Amino acid sequence: IPEKKFVEQMEYLQTHGYNPVSFDDIVQAHLGKKKLAENAVLLTFDDAYISYNNFVLPVLKELGYPSVLAVVGNFIEYAAPEGLPEPLMSWEQIKEVSSRKHVEVVSHTYDLHKGVQYNPQGNTAAAASVIAYDPSKKIYEAEEQFRERIEADFITQKKLFIEKLGSAPRVVVWPY
């Protein structure tokens, strides 16, 4: 969204009684160790666009708002798909923001933020949500294969986060 619109949205939250919380606040509330404020909201930002680093984060810092940054490992590691509205952050930038007190960097999967064919007609849907269809073999992926594909993605992302950021992600933001 345009920068002006984003600032207006943050000002709206501030002036209408909303209370941005961190992911850790939610965990602590779930464990009964903390009570969430009235009208608690979790601000999440998908894909690690450069604007998060260059514009969003300074605005959030000024307001004292925590946020979650969801990173697609394959997009950063290799190449983002064509057609994204702007460039993505580098691993160095992601590591730097991950060290900030009010930022939680999480997984947006390693390589499941894409479509896969799910029927003989050629329809596609979110890779993380459907049993894939292989048109060359004319067979559907078995449920066990689906589970293995999802688990392998999570393992790859965890290893990448540990290598690049020094810690494993605590959360997965499901694509789409």
Side-chain angles (χ1 to χ4, degrees):
I1 63 172
E3 292 176 356
K4 183 179 180 204
K5 186 80 158 170
F6 175 74
V7 170
E8 289 172 357
Q9 289 175 345
M10 295 304 102
E11 288 174 348
Y12 181 90
L13 294 177
Q14 188 177 43
T15 59
H16 286 81
Y18 290 91
N19 295 292
V21 296
S22 69
F23 173 71
D24 201 56
D25 291 334
I26 293 171
V27 170
Q28 295 304 311
H30 177 74
L31 296 172
K33 296 180 178 182
K34 181 177 190 169
K35 185 167 173 43
L36 290 178
E38 285 288 316
N39 298 320
V41 294
L42 180 65
L43 301 174
T44 65
F45 299 87
D46 290 359
D47 304 335
Y49 290 113
I50 194 69
S51 61
Y52 177 83
N53 188 57
N54 295 347
F55 178 76
V56 170
L57 208 50
V59 171
L60 297 179
K61 183 179 179 185
E62 185 175 318
L63 295 169
Y65 288 176
S67 63
V68 170
L69 178 64
V71 176
V72 180
N74 189 47
F75 286 7
I76 308 298
E77 191 67 2
Y78 295 105
E82 296 212 10
L84 292 181
E86 64 180 272
L88 300 176
M89 296 167 63
S90 67
W91 280 118
E92 294 78 22
Q93 291 167 320
I94 295 167
K95 183 173 176 104
E96 194 278 321
V97 300
S98 74
S99 68
R100 296 185 184 197
K101 180 181 176 189
H102 293 299
V103 176
E104 176 96 20
V105 176
V106 303
S107 175
H108 200 26
T109 74
Y110 175 74
D111 192 30
L112 295 175
H113 198 303
K114 63 183 179 184
V116 295
Q117 185 172 337
Y118 69 89
N119 65 19
Q121 292 76 28
N123 299 99
T124 60
S129 303
V130 295
I131 300 292
Y133 178 79
D134 183 340
S136 64
K137 296 179 183 175
K138 298 184 179 182
I139 59 171
Y140 288 92
E141 175 180 53
E143 184 174 340
E144 183 177 323
Q145 292 170 309
F146 170 78
R147 290 179 183 278
E148 288 170 358
R149 178 167 55 89
I150 301 300
E151 184 178 4
D153 186 273
F154 286 9
I155 290 168
T156 301
Q157 182 80 322
K158 180 180 178 180
K159 287 177 182 175
L160 186 60
F161 265 54
I162 290 169
E163 174 191 334
K164 300 292 186 179
L165 307 177
S167 62
R170 296 193 302 165
V171 176
V172 175
V173 174
W174 213 248
Y176 303 104

